[in-house]
Each structure stands twice: as structure tokens, then as C-alpha cells.
Amino acid sequence: MKHWKWICTLADIPPLGSRVVRRAEGGDIAVFRTAEDEIFALRDQCPHRGGPLSQGIVHGKRVSCPLHNWQIGLDDGQAAAPDHGHCARFEVKVEDGQVYLALEQIAESQH
């Protein structure tokens, strides 16, 4: 059975925007909302030069890194060709307008 950590309400994340979950270890997590109200969570660090993905532009199911415009897939964390690399994904769910992250996955990524 999975345990979930409440993050925010869906309304707290602007459409085509993000919200950052700050962590002392393991890097921050960016929680993204698409135009279709889909929610995705990635480590808030571009695989290229570590740019803050949470400050990027969401379009479709991708986010553009604000530093060098790398396109990162929200659903898989993979950089779009011709770029190579990936960032960690986190399991997220929305229930009754509330956004949750998988607690076990958050703890595992901190070690």
C-alpha cells in the first residue's frame, strides 16, 4: 500500500505552470500542471546544466528549460532529441482537487 504526501490543491498550481516542493536533501521537486489539468512531478533540475525546470514554460506534455531551452518530457523525464539525458520522475496523484506525491519515492530519492 502506497503512502502519499499532500502537496497542495490543484488550484494552487497555475495552468501551464508549476509549484516547487523544497527538500533539504535530494534536490527540489517541481510539480507541473498542463493545460488539460494533468499533473506531473520531476526533479527541479535540467539534466543539461541544472537549470530550474519549475521556471520553464510548459507546453503540451513538455517543459522548456529556462537556461538553454532543452525540452523535457513531463511524463518520462527524458530530454527530446537531439538532446540526451533525463531527470528523476515522481509519482503524483490528484484526488478531489488535492495533489499528492508518493511518500516512499520522495524518501528514497533523498539517499
Side-chain angles (χ1 to χ4, degrees):
M1 180 175 160
K2 283 196 186 210
H3 294 92
W4 297 91
K5 177 176 177 58
W6 180 83
I7 300 301
C8 61
T9 67
L10 182 62
D12 289 334
I13 307 170
L16 302 177
S18 67
R19 182 173 179 113
V20 177
V21 177
R22 303 269 181 222
R23 299 189 303 166
E25 295 179 38
D28 294 340
I29 299 171
V31 182
F32 298 94
R33 179 178 176 186
T34 68
E36 292 77 29
D37 291 335
E38 292 178 286
I39 300 295
F40 298 94
L42 300 173
R43 183 166 181 217
D44 192 20
Q45 186 174 31
C46 180
H48 177 227
R49 295 282 173 106
L53 294 176
S54 60
Q55 295 177 24
I57 297 171
V58 175
H59 47 95
K61 289 190 183 180
R62 290 186 179 171
V63 61
S64 298
C65 178
L67 295 185
H68 301 102
N69 204 36
W70 274 39
Q71 308 293 304
I72 308 298
L74 295 174
D75 55 352
D76 62 6
Q78 295 293 322
D83 300 319
H84 300 283
H86 71 279
C87 57
R89 290 178 39 242
F90 296 87
E91 193 171 350
V92 63
K93 73 174 182 175
V94 178
E95 285 185 353
D96 299 323
Q98 306 297 309
V99 179
Y100 300 87
L101 286 171
L103 189 57
E104 294 84 354
Q105 193 178 17
I106 295 170
E108 288 172 7
S109 70
Q110 291 184 0
H111 301 289

